[in-house]
Amino acid sequence: MEEFKIPKKLINMCKTCVQKTVSAVRIEGTLSSFFKNKTGLKQGDSLSPVLFNLALQKVIQSIKMVLRSLRTLQKWFLVV
């Protein structure tokens, strides 16, 4: 998120929303005791599509960088 120039305060708020969460399970109307979530987002979390888009954007940028490098190498080999 820092690479996308997102303010540190917003990054910390997102981390808090993801890292400090607890859940419980309701089975036949009975609620279980709460437990800490270890990984991932809760189902339906509104941050999910935003974080997915940021991750995908990073992947796209990486692919573009690799393609540029390959084109440069290809031109170099054709010249030599």
Side-chain angles (χ1 to χ4, degrees):
M1 293 174 85
E2 292 169 348
E3 291 179 30
F4 292 107
K5 308 273 192 272
I6 294 174
K8 187 71 174 168
K9 186 173 183 176
L10 185 57
I11 294 171
N12 290 336
M13 288 171 52
C14 289
K15 284 181 181 180
T16 298
C17 289
V18 173
Q19 293 174 346
K20 298 181 179 180
T21 58
V22 293
S23 296
V25 178
R26 185 180 310 271
I27 300 173
E28 296 180 5
T30 304
L31 192 63
S32 71
S33 56
F34 286 90
F35 54 91
K36 291 182 182 180
N37 297 329
K38 293 185 180 180
T39 60
L41 298 169
K42 291 182 184 177
Q43 185 175 0
D45 192 316
S46 57
L47 277 177
S48 184
V50 174
L51 294 176
F52 176 81
N53 286 338
L54 286 173
L56 186 59
Q57 184 64 34
K58 181 66 179 159
V59 170
I60 291 169
Q61 287 176 350
S62 297
I63 290 171
K64 285 181 179 180
M65 188 170 60
V66 167
L67 290 175
R68 270 185 252 135
S69 297
L70 289 174
R71 281 191 219 111
T72 302
L73 281 173
Q74 184 182 25
K75 288 177 186 176
W76 188 79
F77 280 112
L78 290 175
V79 171
V80 173

